[in-house]
Amino acid sequence: MRKLGLIVLLVCLAVMGAGCNNSDSDKAKETNTTKKETTTQKDTNSTSKKETVTEQVSVEPGLGDTVDAFTKEYGENKGNEQMGRFKNDYLLPMFINNRAIDITVQFEKTDQKTRSMEEAKQIAAKLIPKDAKLEKEFTATSDLPQKVMLYHSDTLAKLFPEMEPVGKFVVIFNDHEGNENQVFSVTIGLGDTP
């Protein structure tokens, strides 16, 4: 009889101990859930501070625009959400936080393999922010001479406040051996250096 009482007592203690552990575990789960909700809330708040722009940034989806805007305008993205590939690799945007930070336009991927500087500038103008202001135009001489245009955009400054220098971007025209009538690609990207 004594053994039976001892067994019943041990079972009762085990059940009560398991109940207490579940209660602690539930509290820990509640704390973790609260922490996750707070973190999500903070993430949402920081995103809302950065991304105050909801309309399309460029005339055609371009620098600062979303992956969705590119897909709607240019069709299927054969890349991914960080490195896009559109129109048979004619447009190669790079995205951070769903926004284009860099775009390469490859004329060589089209029937017309090169463009004149004027044609290339017209194409680039559609892919830069509507509020872009030209600050400087120069020729960079790294391996090959490149025509570079430095701009500032208040819209990009709002979208990417952490990117230095804030609101600045460059448009780089790549041509065959300095021949402005043979531009084979254009690169548009955040920053102030080619």
Side-chain angles (χ1 to χ4, degrees):
M1 196 67 170
R2 231 171 153 185
K3 283 185 178 179
L4 183 60
L6 186 60
I7 291 173
V8 169
L9 180 64
L10 287 174
V11 169
C12 287
L13 286 174
V15 169
M16 288 188 334
C20 288
N21 285 344
N22 282 346
S23 152
D24 290 343
S25 175
D26 290 343
K27 285 179 186 175
K29 285 180 186 174
E30 286 176 24
T31 303
N32 285 340
T33 302
T34 304
K35 284 181 184 175
K36 285 180 186 174
E37 287 171 0
T38 303
T39 303
T40 303
Q41 205 169 28
K42 285 179 185 173
D43 291 345
T44 303
N45 289 340
S46 67
T47 301
S48 64
K49 285 179 189 173
K50 283 185 200 173
E51 198 162 323
T52 55
V53 178
T54 55
E55 68 277 353
Q56 190 168 300
V57 175
S58 304
V59 175
E60 293 179 4
L63 196 64
D65 286 313
T66 64
V67 175
D68 289 340
F70 273 80
T71 303
K72 285 177 188 167
E73 179 70 24
Y74 306 119
E76 180 185 358
N77 178 3
K78 294 195 177 177
N80 57 46
E81 290 189 3
Q82 287 81 38
M83 302 265 314
R85 293 176 46 219
F86 294 92
K87 296 176 79 173
N88 195 32
D89 292 348
Y90 168 68
L91 285 174
L92 303 173
M94 292 176 57
F95 299 97
I96 290 183
N97 296 328
N98 194 42
R99 295 278 181 175
I101 62 157
D102 185 90
I103 303 165
T104 299
V105 182
Q106 300 187 108
F107 300 131
E108 294 177 311
K109 295 292 183 175
T110 68
D111 293 337
Q112 187 180 346
K113 306 288 184 208
T114 62
R115 309 292 162 93
S116 70
M117 184 60 70
E118 195 55 43
E119 289 172 310
K121 283 182 176 181
Q122 289 172 2
I123 291 166
K126 295 176 184 175
L127 300 173
I128 65 174
K130 297 171 193 170
D131 69 343
K133 293 179 183 80
L134 180 64
E135 293 187 342
K136 183 176 166 183
E137 194 170 327
F138 60 97
T139 301
T141 53
S142 51
D143 294 333
L144 293 174
Q146 300 172 311
K147 182 167 195 131
V148 179
M149 300 174 82
L150 175 65
Y151 289 87
H152 182 271
S153 164
D154 291 337
T155 303
L156 290 181
K158 288 177 193 172
L159 287 172
F160 304 104
E162 72 286 352
M163 301 293 259
E164 291 292 332
V166 176
K168 302 246 188 229
F169 69 95
V170 291
V171 179
I172 305 165
F173 299 91
N174 301 298
D175 55 43
H176 291 291
E177 299 177 12
N179 185 342
E180 289 193 359
N181 288 317
Q182 292 188 2
V183 178
F184 61 87
S185 72
V186 176
T187 303
I188 304 167
L190 295 181
D192 63 353
T193 55

